[in-house]
Amino acid sequence: EWLEHKGYKTKLQQRENGTMVAAKAGSANRFGYIAAHLSIIVICVGGLLDSGVPLKVAIWATGKTPVSGSEISSGIPDSSRLGVSNPSYRANLLLPEGETSRVAVLNTDAGLLIQDLPFEITLKEFRIDFYSTGMPKLFASDVEVFDPETNDRFTSTIEVNKPLIYKGVTVYQSSFDDGGTRLALKGIPLTGDKDFRVDLDGVVGSSADLTKINQPYKIEFAGFKAINVEQMPVDNTPEATQEALNSKDQLKPFQDNLASVLGPGVKGNQKTRPTNIGPAITYKLRDEAGQAREFHNYMLPVSLDGGRYYLMGVRNSPAEAFKYLRLPVDENGQIDGVMRLRAALQNETVRRAAAQRFAQQAFGGRAETADLVGSVAESASRALERFAGVNSELAGLTAIAQFIEQTVPEAEREKATDVIIRLLQGAMWEVYQLSREGANLPKAQPDEVHGRFVQDAQIALSDLGLYGAPMMFQLDQFNEVKASVFQLAKAPGQWVVYLGCLFLVIGVFSMFYIRERRAFFWVAPEGEGSKVLMGFSTTRKTLDFEKEFEQFVNELNSRARKDAATLAHGVKGEAV
């Protein structure tokens, strides 16, 4: 009775020389172990329900066949569609503004499957805010949902970590993309002696044939971003550019100028700040053999090293980083000045006239220098010709450097370099003047602004051969169309996982806070009374267990003393 009052279950066993009383409390502790281990199984079952296994089983059972990307354009057959009764899936949906969809796309190892949805979803508006660093701060989608079964229609806003849940399908805001922005481009030739513009319209995600403008390429409009925030130098001074121009190694190919000026291209010891450098377009030019080169051109000029430049990026494969060609702006902030200079440089008549002007201004006016004028004019004309790459695979400063290495002894190359550079720069200034005269523009004054422009243009034209395209496309206008990327999940195993988590919590708390204790009492006759031996055991020894043991010893001894006092001739009981 004493043990049962303390919550112990007892069992008696009579033996020859005494009685064994066994008691146990905290049996529920074993259910903690059962619940904890069962939770692992339940969670695994829930995870299995939300994995790709049910989808593969459904594909195998119903005979569905995934389609590849090239087959989608011809239509989706019924054998590649999954019905709304599909119990588990995780699909993606790219939805441009103003458009409606009732299907999503499932990616499998063998291709794509189309998943029918139990409702229609329309993207009314996509909203996005940015931090000063250019990282998205908030992007949200205002959608309208229509249920064709009940004809119910309602609106909702889907944000990151705030999904829409309807009919067992959870719609998450995954990311965002371009939804087919309409572009107006200007095609600018990079070869030949004509400077003109070609209008070209396109839509992001589409392609166009350029044979109509006599170019054996196919242009693919790959992407558009209206906001491009990059880490740009805070102090844009012209020292670096001027130092490069004055260097003894200035006849090296100026490939560093084409290297990326964004991200890693900014020197590590320079102070930078996030700067929005405006809209940019990405496109590919694919030749007749199927080889493609990717281009990334900015719409607006960017301030760098004390000057303003249009950045035109290029790379040969997606694994590479873009390298940017810097095209300096003219006094009107446009690209026209450097393009006029490029076209004039390709004109033989202009080159000879510019060389003659340079020689006449430098050494003319005296009869004794007549022969010198002719010689200087011829040398300047040849320098311009080599720089322009006439009848040669090389152009720019690379071609001149190769000429010096092949014709000038090594001991005299430094002196020859200085002479040729002076001839080239002087003649290039006259080419610039003639290009302005051809466009009915006033004569350029020999000041710092025009001088820097000619120097920057000379570097840009030297690197033009590295751009690898006969024509460059500059973004003129755009009508942006945003798109939301949703992830749609039907996860019946979610609640099974929650149930497993509940079992896990119950099991852990049961194992920690329900202690199984066992007590054994051996009661043997001794004189007119009994002698009691007590033992305690537990699965985990704690301070509470020690206190409980002491409490049992004290209570048992107290009872023994009371019983001994009531006996007239009794023997004192002892508990050990």
Side-chain angles (χ1 to χ4, degrees), residues 147-464:
D147 190 340
E149 292 185 359
T150 62
N151 290 327
D152 291 337
R153 190 182 299 271
F154 63 91
T155 59
S156 179
T157 298
I158 305 175
E159 300 180 18
V160 178
N161 299 325
K162 295 181 180 179
L164 166 67
I165 302 176
Y166 186 66
K167 282 198 166 182
V169 179
T170 305
V171 185
Y172 298 94
Q173 180 70 64
S174 176
S175 62
F176 57 92
D177 206 339
D178 190 275
T181 297
R182 290 177 286 276
L183 307 170
L185 306 178
K186 294 290 185 182
I188 305 172
L190 302 180
T191 58
D193 58 356
K194 301 296 182 184
D195 179 31
F196 58 91
R197 302 291 184 270
V198 177
D199 293 331
L200 180 66
D201 295 333
V203 177
V204 174
S206 66
S207 61
D209 196 351
L210 298 181
T211 54
K212 61 182 179 181
I213 58 175
N214 300 321
Q215 295 292 338
Y217 292 95
K218 180 181 180 182
I219 184 171
E220 301 172 358
F221 304 101
F224 168 82
K225 286 183 68 177
I227 297 177
N228 290 273
V229 179
E230 301 289 350
Q231 292 290 337
M232 304 300 292
V234 175
D235 185 15
N236 285 323
T237 58
E239 282 78 6
T241 304
Q242 191 64 41
E243 181 180 354
L245 288 172
N246 295 334
S247 172
K248 294 181 180 180
D249 296 329
Q250 56 190 314
L251 286 182
K252 288 172 54 181
F254 274 71
Q255 296 184 15
D256 291 342
N257 182 59
L258 190 68
S260 173
V261 297
L262 307 179
V266 177
K267 295 181 180 179
N269 59 356
Q270 284 186 294
K271 293 182 179 180
T272 61
R273 65 183 175 192
T275 306
N276 178 21
I277 56 179
I281 179 178
T282 303
Y283 65 89
K284 295 180 180 180
L285 288 182
R286 192 174 299 276
D287 59 21
E288 296 174 343
Q291 300 295 321
R293 178 171 284 194
E294 192 172 11
F295 300 88
H296 185 245
N297 297 345
Y298 286 89
M299 182 179 182
L300 303 175
V302 178
S303 296
L304 283 170
D305 299 330
R308 289 179 62 77
Y309 306 88
Y310 282 94
L311 300 181
M312 306 298 176
V314 60
R315 65 181 179 185
N316 294 321
S317 71
E320 300 177 2
F322 280 107
K323 297 181 179 180
Y324 291 87
L325 180 69
R326 301 185 186 186
L327 298 178
V329 302
D330 55 22
E331 65 269 26
N332 297 320
Q334 301 298 322
I335 203 174
D336 299 341
V338 69
M339 290 296 106
R340 284 196 305 267
L341 180 60
R342 183 210 61 78
L345 188 63
Q346 295 296 321
N347 190 302
E348 182 180 0
T349 302
V350 174
R351 290 198 303 271
R352 290 191 173 276
Q356 186 66 36
R357 276 194 185 185
F358 166 69
Q360 189 65 35
Q361 290 179 8
F363 302 100
R366 291 178 293 177
E368 63 272 16
T369 60
D371 294 339
L372 181 59
V373 169
S375 176
V376 171
E378 183 65 22
S379 298
S381 179
R382 289 181 180 178
L384 289 175
E385 182 177 328
R386 289 190 177 89
F387 187 87
V390 178
N391 300 324
S392 175
E393 295 182 357
L394 294 179
L397 298 172
T398 305
I400 294 180
Q402 184 188 61
F403 169 75
I404 293 176
E405 290 177 358
Q406 292 176 350
T407 60
V408 180
E410 185 175 357
E412 300 178 5
R413 286 178 186 174
E414 183 175 350
K415 182 178 180 180
T417 297
D418 292 337
V419 173
I420 293 178
I421 285 297
R422 291 179 183 276
L423 287 175
L424 181 62
Q425 291 179 342
M428 190 68 71
W429 174 263
E430 297 303 330
V431 174
Y432 174 56
Q433 294 285 24
L434 289 172
S435 69
R436 293 178 63 88
E437 291 178 11
N440 297 320
L441 294 175
K443 184 177 180 180
Q445 298 299 319
D447 53 20
E448 182 180 355
V449 174
H450 292 284
R452 179 187 174 93
F453 172 81
V454 174
Q455 288 182 338
D456 288 343
Q458 180 177 323
I459 297 173
L461 296 179
S462 176
D463 289 335
L464 206 57

Side-chain angles (χ1 to χ4, degrees), residues 458-505:
Q458 180 177 323
I459 297 173
L461 296 179
S462 176
D463 289 335
L464 206 57
L466 301 174
Y467 195 66
M471 181 168 283
M472 175 180 64
F473 291 92
Q474 185 183 22
L475 182 60
D476 187 36
Q477 294 181 0
F478 63 89
N479 185 7
E480 186 180 13
V481 178
K482 302 184 183 71
S484 274
V485 180
F486 297 115
Q487 186 179 81
L488 299 95
K490 191 173 183 181
Q494 175 183 357
W495 298 105
V496 178
V497 173
Y498 289 163
L499 178 62
C501 293
L502 178 62
F503 284 161
L504 182 61
V505 171

